Short mmCIF file of all heavy atoms in Angstrom, two decimals:
data_model
loop_
_atom_site.label_atom_id
_atom_site.label_comp_id
_atom_site.label_asym_id
_atom_site.label_seq_id
_atom_site.Cartn_x
_atom_site.Cartn_y
_atom_site.Cartn_z
N LEU A 15 84.19 119.67 83.85
CA LEU A 15 85.54 119.10 83.84
C LEU A 15 85.66 118.10 84.99
O LEU A 15 85.48 118.46 86.16
CB LEU A 15 86.61 120.19 84.00
CG LEU A 15 87.04 120.95 82.74
CD1 LEU A 15 85.86 121.65 82.07
CD2 LEU A 15 88.14 121.95 83.06
N ARG A 16 85.94 116.87 84.65
CA ARG A 16 86.10 115.84 85.68
C ARG A 16 87.47 115.98 86.35
O ARG A 16 88.28 116.82 86.00
CB ARG A 16 85.94 114.45 85.06
CG ARG A 16 84.58 114.20 84.42
CD ARG A 16 83.44 114.33 85.42
NE ARG A 16 82.15 113.91 84.83
CZ ARG A 16 80.98 114.13 85.40
NH1 ARG A 16 80.93 114.74 86.57
NH2 ARG A 16 79.87 113.73 84.80
N ASP A 17 87.74 115.09 87.29
CA ASP A 17 88.96 115.18 88.09
C ASP A 17 90.23 115.12 87.23
O ASP A 17 90.28 114.41 86.22
CB ASP A 17 89.01 114.02 89.09
CG ASP A 17 87.88 114.09 90.11
OD1 ASP A 17 87.20 115.13 90.18
OD2 ASP A 17 87.69 113.10 90.83
N ASN A 18 91.25 115.88 87.67
CA ASN A 18 92.60 115.83 87.11
C ASN A 18 92.73 116.35 85.68
O ASN A 18 93.69 116.02 84.98
CB ASN A 18 93.17 114.39 87.17
CG ASN A 18 93.19 113.83 88.57
OD1 ASN A 18 93.60 114.51 89.51
ND2 ASN A 18 92.71 112.61 88.72
N VAL A 19 91.78 117.14 85.21
CA VAL A 19 91.87 117.72 83.87
C VAL A 19 92.83 118.90 83.88
O VAL A 19 92.87 119.68 84.83
CB VAL A 19 90.48 118.16 83.37
CG1 VAL A 19 90.57 119.03 82.12
CG2 VAL A 19 89.61 116.94 83.10
N MET A 20 93.61 119.04 82.80
CA MET A 20 94.49 120.19 82.63
C MET A 20 94.10 120.92 81.35
O MET A 20 93.99 120.31 80.28
CB MET A 20 95.96 119.78 82.53
CG MET A 20 96.91 120.96 82.49
SD MET A 20 98.60 120.48 82.09
CE MET A 20 98.47 120.29 80.31
N VAL A 21 93.88 122.23 81.44
CA VAL A 21 93.53 123.06 80.28
C VAL A 21 94.65 124.08 80.09
O VAL A 21 94.87 124.93 80.96
CB VAL A 21 92.18 123.76 80.46
CG1 VAL A 21 91.79 124.47 79.17
CG2 VAL A 21 91.10 122.75 80.86
N SER A 22 95.35 124.01 78.98
CA SER A 22 96.55 124.82 78.75
C SER A 22 96.22 126.24 78.33
O SER A 22 95.07 126.58 78.04
CB SER A 22 97.43 124.15 77.69
OG SER A 22 97.82 122.85 78.13
N ALA A 23 97.25 127.07 78.25
CA ALA A 23 97.10 128.51 78.03
C ALA A 23 96.29 128.83 76.78
O ALA A 23 96.55 128.29 75.70
CB ALA A 23 98.48 129.16 77.95
N GLY A 24 95.33 129.73 76.95
CA GLY A 24 94.56 130.23 75.82
C GLY A 24 93.50 129.31 75.28
O GLY A 24 92.81 129.67 74.32
N ALA A 25 93.33 128.15 75.86
CA ALA A 25 92.32 127.20 75.36
C ALA A 25 90.91 127.66 75.71
O ALA A 25 90.69 128.31 76.73
CB ALA A 25 92.57 125.81 75.92
N LYS A 26 89.96 127.33 74.83
CA LYS A 26 88.55 127.68 75.03
C LYS A 26 87.73 126.39 75.01
O LYS A 26 87.80 125.62 74.05
CB LYS A 26 88.04 128.62 73.93
CG LYS A 26 88.98 129.79 73.63
CD LYS A 26 89.23 130.69 74.83
CE LYS A 26 90.22 131.80 74.49
NZ LYS A 26 90.58 132.59 75.70
N VAL A 27 86.96 126.20 76.06
CA VAL A 27 86.06 125.03 76.14
C VAL A 27 84.65 125.61 76.22
O VAL A 27 84.26 126.21 77.22
CB VAL A 27 86.37 124.17 77.38
CG1 VAL A 27 85.49 122.92 77.38
CG2 VAL A 27 87.85 123.78 77.40
N LEU A 28 83.89 125.43 75.14
CA LEU A 28 82.63 126.17 74.98
C LEU A 28 81.46 125.22 74.78
O LEU A 28 81.42 124.46 73.81
CB LEU A 28 82.72 127.12 73.78
CG LEU A 28 83.92 128.09 73.76
CD1 LEU A 28 83.94 128.87 72.46
CD2 LEU A 28 83.87 129.03 74.95
N GLY A 29 80.51 125.25 75.71
CA GLY A 29 79.31 124.43 75.56
C GLY A 29 79.07 123.55 76.76
O GLY A 29 79.90 123.41 77.65
N SER A 30 77.88 122.92 76.77
CA SER A 30 77.47 122.06 77.87
C SER A 30 77.81 120.61 77.54
O SER A 30 77.00 119.87 76.99
CB SER A 30 75.97 122.20 78.13
OG SER A 30 75.56 121.33 79.14
N PHE A 31 79.02 120.20 77.85
CA PHE A 31 79.46 118.82 77.65
C PHE A 31 80.53 118.51 78.69
O PHE A 31 80.90 119.38 79.49
CB PHE A 31 79.98 118.59 76.22
CG PHE A 31 81.02 119.59 75.80
CD1 PHE A 31 82.35 119.41 76.13
CD2 PHE A 31 80.68 120.71 75.06
CE1 PHE A 31 83.32 120.32 75.75
CE2 PHE A 31 81.63 121.64 74.69
CZ PHE A 31 82.95 121.44 75.03
N THR A 32 81.06 117.31 78.65
CA THR A 32 81.97 116.85 79.69
C THR A 32 83.37 116.59 79.13
O THR A 32 83.52 115.99 78.07
CB THR A 32 81.44 115.57 80.35
OG1 THR A 32 80.17 115.86 80.95
CG2 THR A 32 82.39 115.05 81.42
N ILE A 33 84.37 117.05 79.87
CA ILE A 33 85.76 116.67 79.61
C ILE A 33 86.11 115.58 80.62
O ILE A 33 86.07 115.81 81.83
CB ILE A 33 86.73 117.87 79.78
CG1 ILE A 33 86.28 119.05 78.92
CG2 ILE A 33 88.15 117.45 79.44
CD1 ILE A 33 86.32 118.80 77.44
N GLY A 34 86.45 114.40 80.13
CA GLY A 34 86.64 113.25 81.00
C GLY A 34 87.87 113.33 81.89
O GLY A 34 88.79 114.15 81.66
N GLU A 35 87.93 112.46 82.88
CA GLU A 35 89.03 112.45 83.84
C GLU A 35 90.39 112.32 83.16
O GLU A 35 90.55 111.63 82.16
CB GLU A 35 88.87 111.28 84.82
CG GLU A 35 87.66 111.35 85.73
CD GLU A 35 86.42 110.77 85.10
OE1 GLU A 35 86.44 110.50 83.89
OE2 GLU A 35 85.43 110.58 85.84
N ASN A 36 91.38 113.01 83.74
CA ASN A 36 92.79 112.90 83.34
C ASN A 36 93.08 113.38 81.92
O ASN A 36 94.14 113.06 81.37
CB ASN A 36 93.28 111.44 83.48
CG ASN A 36 92.97 110.85 84.84
OD1 ASN A 36 93.03 111.55 85.85
ND2 ASN A 36 92.65 109.57 84.88
N SER A 37 92.18 114.14 81.33
CA SER A 37 92.39 114.61 79.97
C SER A 37 93.18 115.92 79.95
O SER A 37 93.19 116.67 80.92
CB SER A 37 91.05 114.81 79.25
OG SER A 37 90.44 113.57 78.98
N LYS A 38 93.84 116.18 78.81
CA LYS A 38 94.60 117.40 78.59
C LYS A 38 94.02 118.15 77.40
O LYS A 38 93.71 117.56 76.37
CB LYS A 38 96.06 117.09 78.27
CG LYS A 38 96.90 116.65 79.43
CD LYS A 38 98.35 116.47 78.93
CE LYS A 38 99.28 116.09 80.05
NZ LYS A 38 100.68 115.96 79.56
N ILE A 39 93.91 119.47 77.54
CA ILE A 39 93.52 120.33 76.44
C ILE A 39 94.74 121.17 76.09
O ILE A 39 95.27 121.89 76.94
CB ILE A 39 92.34 121.24 76.81
CG1 ILE A 39 91.19 120.42 77.41
CG2 ILE A 39 91.89 122.03 75.60
CD1 ILE A 39 90.63 119.36 76.50
N GLY A 40 95.22 121.10 74.85
CA GLY A 40 96.44 121.79 74.44
C GLY A 40 96.25 123.29 74.35
O GLY A 40 95.13 123.81 74.25
N ALA A 41 97.37 124.01 74.38
CA ALA A 41 97.35 125.47 74.33
C ALA A 41 96.68 125.96 73.05
O ALA A 41 96.97 125.47 71.96
CB ALA A 41 98.78 126.00 74.42
N GLY A 42 95.76 126.92 73.20
CA GLY A 42 95.09 127.52 72.06
C GLY A 42 93.99 126.69 71.45
O GLY A 42 93.38 127.11 70.46
N ALA A 43 93.70 125.52 71.99
CA ALA A 43 92.66 124.66 71.42
C ALA A 43 91.28 125.27 71.66
O ALA A 43 91.06 126.00 72.63
CB ALA A 43 92.73 123.26 72.02
N VAL A 44 90.34 124.95 70.76
CA VAL A 44 88.95 125.35 70.93
C VAL A 44 88.12 124.06 70.93
O VAL A 44 87.94 123.42 69.90
CB VAL A 44 88.47 126.29 69.79
CG1 VAL A 44 87.00 126.63 69.98
CG2 VAL A 44 89.31 127.56 69.77
N VAL A 45 87.62 123.70 72.10
CA VAL A 45 86.91 122.42 72.27
C VAL A 45 85.42 122.69 72.27
O VAL A 45 84.91 123.47 73.07
CB VAL A 45 87.33 121.73 73.58
CG1 VAL A 45 86.67 120.36 73.69
CG2 VAL A 45 88.85 121.60 73.65
N LEU A 46 84.70 122.00 71.36
CA LEU A 46 83.28 122.24 71.17
C LEU A 46 82.42 120.99 71.37
O LEU A 46 81.22 121.04 71.16
CB LEU A 46 83.03 122.80 69.76
CG LEU A 46 83.77 124.10 69.41
CD1 LEU A 46 83.55 124.45 67.94
CD2 LEU A 46 83.31 125.25 70.31
N GLU A 47 83.06 119.89 71.74
CA GLU A 47 82.29 118.67 71.94
C GLU A 47 82.96 117.82 73.02
O GLU A 47 84.09 118.05 73.41
CB GLU A 47 82.17 117.86 70.65
CG GLU A 47 83.50 117.50 70.03
CD GLU A 47 83.33 116.82 68.68
OE1 GLU A 47 82.28 117.01 68.05
OE2 GLU A 47 84.26 116.10 68.27
N GLU A 48 82.23 116.81 73.47
CA GLU A 48 82.65 115.98 74.61
C GLU A 48 83.98 115.28 74.36
O GLU A 48 84.30 114.87 73.24
CB GLU A 48 81.57 114.95 74.92
CG GLU A 48 81.82 114.16 76.17
CD GLU A 48 80.56 113.51 76.73
OE1 GLU A 48 79.47 114.05 76.49
OE2 GLU A 48 80.68 112.49 77.42
N VAL A 49 84.76 115.15 75.44
CA VAL A 49 86.05 114.47 75.38
C VAL A 49 86.03 113.31 76.37
O VAL A 49 85.74 113.51 77.55
CB VAL A 49 87.19 115.45 75.74
CG1 VAL A 49 88.53 114.71 75.77
CG2 VAL A 49 87.24 116.60 74.75
N PRO A 50 86.33 112.08 75.92
CA PRO A 50 86.35 110.94 76.85
C PRO A 50 87.50 111.05 77.84
O PRO A 50 88.40 111.88 77.68
CB PRO A 50 86.55 109.75 75.90
CG PRO A 50 86.21 110.25 74.54
CD PRO A 50 86.56 111.69 74.53
N PRO A 51 87.51 110.22 78.86
CA PRO A 51 88.62 110.24 79.82
C PRO A 51 89.96 109.88 79.18
O PRO A 51 90.01 109.20 78.15
CB PRO A 51 88.21 109.16 80.85
CG PRO A 51 86.73 109.03 80.71
CD PRO A 51 86.44 109.29 79.26
N ASP A 52 91.06 110.35 79.79
CA ASP A 52 92.42 109.98 79.40
C ASP A 52 92.75 110.34 77.96
O ASP A 52 93.39 109.57 77.25
CB ASP A 52 92.65 108.48 79.62
CG ASP A 52 92.36 108.05 81.04
OD1 ASP A 52 93.02 108.58 81.96
OD2 ASP A 52 91.46 107.21 81.24
N CYS A 53 92.32 111.51 77.52
CA CYS A 53 92.57 111.93 76.14
C CYS A 53 93.37 113.23 76.10
O CYS A 53 93.39 114.00 77.07
CB CYS A 53 91.25 112.15 75.40
SG CYS A 53 90.36 110.63 75.01
N THR A 54 94.03 113.45 74.97
CA THR A 54 94.71 114.71 74.70
C THR A 54 94.05 115.35 73.49
O THR A 54 93.86 114.70 72.47
CB THR A 54 96.21 114.49 74.41
OG1 THR A 54 96.82 113.89 75.55
CG2 THR A 54 96.90 115.81 74.11
#
C-alpha cells in the first residue's frame, strides 16, 4: 500500500500487488489485482 491509501471496513486485499498512492478501497470490497494511484 503506497502513501495515503484508505481501506474501509471489512475490505480484503489479497495477493502480492500494489495499491497506488491516494487510493480508496470501499467497505466490504475484495481486491485481487493491482490498483493505480488516485483510484476508488
